Amino acid sequence: MVYTAVAPKRSGQPDERIVYRDIPTPLGEMRLVASAKGLRGAWFTDQTLLPSAEGWTRVDADPILEQARRELDEWFAGQRRDFDVALDPVGTPFQHEVWRALCALDFGQLASYGELARTVGRPKGAQAIGGAVGRNPIIIIIPCHRVIGADTSLTGFGGGLPRKQALLEHEGSRYLSRNPRARRVCDGQVELPFEPPAFDWPRAQ
């Protein structure tokens, strides 16, 4: 993927046209948001951190939004492991550093907050890392769902733990519970040939 954002900026500046569209996915409706440079955001529409669409333009035909939709469809269908859409998230320099580190995690590769902190050169900054991960504005494509506890515990997720459990299972890591303290019980499935995944959503409690 092309990560175009390099400096902090404020979303919705007067000279900036922001467009969006809502799309269906196996895990619920998502809102995709784009600037002229790349994908600005991707949230499930029931997320607490979903920004207001005030000042944005709803469109059905935009090349960046369409590319993101197509790639997400392919990812959910088991036909894609990496994303190529250009990214243009808004954040602080530290947040960008963390989000870039998340983008470096391969399909099925998990990392703890401590490991991520060491990756960005802040070995004692796991708590700050957690804050930046939690503010990730491009869910799935910037794969914050791949961050777990040092003991493999599920921990948290902005899209909700049921979705995190499903996303990790799609990538080969199985959790029997949605409890944040649940630990991974198996992995290695990502080495197998892709089969069309069966997203049972919403799952029974």
Side-chain angles (χ1 to χ4, degrees):
M1 67 187 68
V2 179
Y3 196 107
T4 62
V6 294
K9 54 188 173 182
R10 183 164 47 88
S11 178
Q13 292 175 336
D15 60 344
E16 187 176 41
R17 181 173 183 261
I18 302 298
V19 297
Y20 78 99
R21 66 182 290 191
D22 295 340
I23 65 168
T25 80
L27 296 182
E29 186 178 67
M30 288 185 70
R31 176 160 296 171
L32 304 180
V33 182
S35 68
K37 294 182 180 180
L39 192 66
R40 177 62 57 87
W43 296 270
F44 289 103
T45 54
D46 60 0
Q47 281 187 243
T48 302
L49 294 179
L50 177 70
S52 167
E54 183 179 357
W56 299 347
T57 302
R58 189 181 188 111
V59 298
D60 292 323
D62 174 83
I64 293 172
L65 296 180
E66 176 57 25
Q67 181 180 357
R69 182 206 62 76
R70 183 179 67 252
E71 292 184 4
L72 282 165
D73 282 351
E74 293 169 352
W75 189 88
F76 276 113
Q79 300 167 355
R80 169 181 292 273
R81 295 192 179 194
D82 302 303
F83 293 94
D84 299 317
V85 64
L87 304 183
D88 187 35
V90 171
T92 67
F94 174 69
Q95 287 172 334
H96 284 304
E97 191 175 11
V98 173
W99 298 339
R100 286 177 186 274
L102 289 174
C103 289
L105 294 174
D106 293 330
F107 183 97
Q109 179 185 0
L110 305 183
S112 69
Y113 294 95
E115 289 169 337
L116 206 58
R118 291 189 289 274
T119 296
V120 301
R122 304 195 182 200
K124 297 183 179 180
Q127 186 172 358
I129 292 290
V133 170
R135 299 295 297 184
N136 170 29
I138 305 180
I139 207 162
I140 297 178
I141 296 175
I142 296 180
C144 56
H145 61 278
R146 295 175 187 160
V147 182
I148 59 173
D151 59 355
T152 76
S153 55
L154 196 58
T155 65
F157 183 58
L161 291 181
R163 287 192 178 108
K164 183 171 185 176
Q165 181 189 36
L167 293 170
L168 291 179
E169 184 174 352
H170 176 50
E171 297 190 357
S173 293
R174 188 180 179 208
Y175 286 80
L176 297 180
S177 166
R178 300 164 181 175
N179 188 296
R181 296 182 180 180
R183 298 187 182 186
R184 187 179 63 196
V185 296
C186 71
D187 57 15
Q189 299 304 306
V190 294
E191 303 300 327
L192 300 176
F194 258 147
E195 294 182 0
F199 287 98
D200 178 17
W201 186 263
R203 296 182 177 181
Q205 295 293 332

